[in-house]
Amino acid sequence: AVLDGCSCCLVCARQRGESCSPLLPCDESSGLYCDRGPEDGGGAAGICMVLEGDNCVFDGRIYRNGETFQPSCKYQCTCRDGQIGCLPRCNLDLLLPGPDCPFPRKIEVPGECCEKWICDPKDEVILGGFAMAAYRQEATLGIDVSDSSANCIEQTTEWSACSKSCGMGFSTRVTNRNEQCEMVKQTRLCMIRPCENEEPSDKKGKKCIRTKKSLKAVRFEYKNCTSVQTYKPRYCGLCNDGRCCTPHNTKTIQVEFRCPQGKVLKKPMMLINTCVCHNNCPQSNNAFFQLLDPTSSEAKI
């Protein structure tokens, strides 16, 4: 499922040989494009065709453009115009520490390819507590090759959803984009919308407001620190029909914060480009309506 040309509705990606149009896009992840012929009009229909591209070389073998292969049981890779993209066949999720499992770790299971999570007893490791457990490196997620520096396939997961439906929260991802080719966890600040008592607007009969931009320049606040620069961020709106709006396209910038006693912090932070409204709401959608909940048990960042 992909977003249509209006970036508002999910449609099935058109496959090779099928008809296509701006509202019915081709499956770009499979190397397809919409060939509308010599009269390439803006709204003209076309046929999904395969892009011709360069071959790929990995571990001494040559793979054709569009060819899929498995360098190990943990990954399935595809050659795309000289570049190799891979999807994990094992679950790459990090198990965050919690009261019932403060020190999760992965172990190999005999006879199985993918590792599994287990919980160490609480009294095994005390040093560092939750902070150490949450931000430790996950080296076990790397691909098993003899020479990781020469055959490192870059793996980066999508950013997780923001931890808070309003106000400053954080999201995480894992990536091996480093010289050691080791999977590490990255964290960035995020704000889907400010925590204000605002009701979903029915302006012009709209049920949802997807994306709206701050009318005035604001300074972000984090742990009693204030951003040095001002920003006019985009926020996700609200719906009055039961749907929720969440970020769809984002970017990450470095924000410099000035703290008490003159201390300066630099933190990566998500900036929203576009949002999308949908019914796949996280947990209960009440959080998207009751933005000011004094009984909320969510941890403050």
Side-chain angles (χ1 to χ4, degrees):
V2 296
L3 285 172
D4 63 10
C6 298
S7 295
C8 65
C9 301
L10 287 173
V11 296
C12 289
R14 311 298 285 176
Q15 300 302 314
R16 184 174 183 178
E18 294 182 339
S19 61
C20 54
S21 69
L23 290 178
L24 295 173
C26 298
D27 188 358
E28 293 183 357
S29 65
S30 297
L32 302 177
Y33 75 103
C34 192
D35 185 6
R36 299 186 179 92
E39 298 180 3
D40 194 355
I47 301 294
C48 289
M49 305 286 287
V50 179
L51 278 169
E52 294 297 330
D54 295 333
N55 294 334
C56 305
V57 178
F58 177 77
D59 204 17
R61 292 191 59 183
I62 298 177
Y63 298 94
R64 298 186 308 275
N65 178 48
E67 185 175 355
T68 298
F69 62 98
Q70 290 183 10
S72 78
C73 63
K74 295 181 180 180
Y75 295 91
Q76 179 164 306
C77 303
T78 304
C79 173
R80 293 279 177 244
D81 194 21
Q83 302 294 320
I84 296 176
C86 298
L87 290 174
R89 304 181 71 227
C90 299
N91 188 2
L92 281 180
D93 288 343
L94 290 181
L95 185 62
L96 294 177
D100 299 327
C101 186
F103 303 104
R105 63 186 179 92
K106 275 196 168 183
I107 61 167
E108 292 185 359
V109 181
E112 294 187 19
C113 173
C114 299
E115 298 162 321
K116 290 187 177 180
W117 286 105
I118 64 166
C119 293
D120 283 337
K122 295 181 180 180
D123 56 354
E124 261 194 29
V125 186
I126 303 299
L127 182 64
F130 286 94
M132 287 291 288
Y135 295 96
R136 69 187 187 280
Q137 290 187 350
E138 295 294 338
T140 57
L141 298 179
I143 189 169
D144 295 326
V145 292
S146 56
D147 186 357
S148 61
S149 61
N151 288 323
C152 180
I153 299 175
E154 183 176 304
Q155 295 289 313
T156 302
T157 66
E158 295 291 336
W159 287 103
S160 68
C162 195
S163 63
K164 301 187 73 173
S165 60
C166 75
M168 191 69 78
F170 62 93
S171 63
T172 60
R173 71 177 181 181
V174 289
T175 180
N176 65 349
R177 194 179 296 169
N178 52 64
E179 291 183 0
Q180 293 75 31
C181 192
E182 292 180 350
M183 277 291 187
V184 295
K185 180 178 175 183
Q186 294 179 336
T187 303
R188 68 175 180 178
L189 303 176
C190 53
M191 183 184 291
I192 298 179
R193 58 181 66 83
C195 287
E196 299 172 357
N197 263 329
E198 56 176 303
E199 292 296 324
S201 171
D202 56 358
K203 183 179 179 181
K204 297 181 182 179
K206 286 188 175 181
K207 294 182 179 179
C208 285
I209 298 177
R210 287 195 309 168
T211 311
K212 56 183 180 179
K213 190 171 184 178
S214 176
L215 298 178
K216 60 180 181 179
V218 298
R219 295 183 189 272
F220 297 121
E221 294 185 359
Y222 165 74
K223 285 187 175 179
N224 296 325
C225 306
T226 305
S227 64
V228 176
Q229 295 185 12
T230 59
Y231 301 87
K232 283 190 176 181
R234 290 184 176 90
Y235 300 122
C236 293
L238 294 172
C239 298
N240 58 14
D241 61 355
R243 288 185 291 169
C244 49
C245 286
T246 55
H248 170 62
N249 184 274
T250 67
K251 64 181 179 181
T252 304
I253 64 169
Q254 289 289 332
V255 177
E256 187 172 324
F257 293 89
R258 183 169 287 116
C259 308
Q261 287 83 44
K263 186 179 178 182
V264 175
L265 288 178
K266 286 187 178 180
K267 292 286 181 181
M269 182 169 179
M270 174 191 80
L271 284 189
I272 296 173
N273 291 326
T274 59
C275 301
V276 64
C277 298
H278 53 86
N279 289 311
N280 186 24
C281 300
Q283 298 176 353
S284 170
N285 197 24
N286 292 336
F288 289 85
F289 293 98
Q290 301 169 0
L291 296 183
L292 283 178
D293 183 2
T295 63
S296 174
S297 60
E298 287 184 276
K300 293 183 179 179
I301 185 167

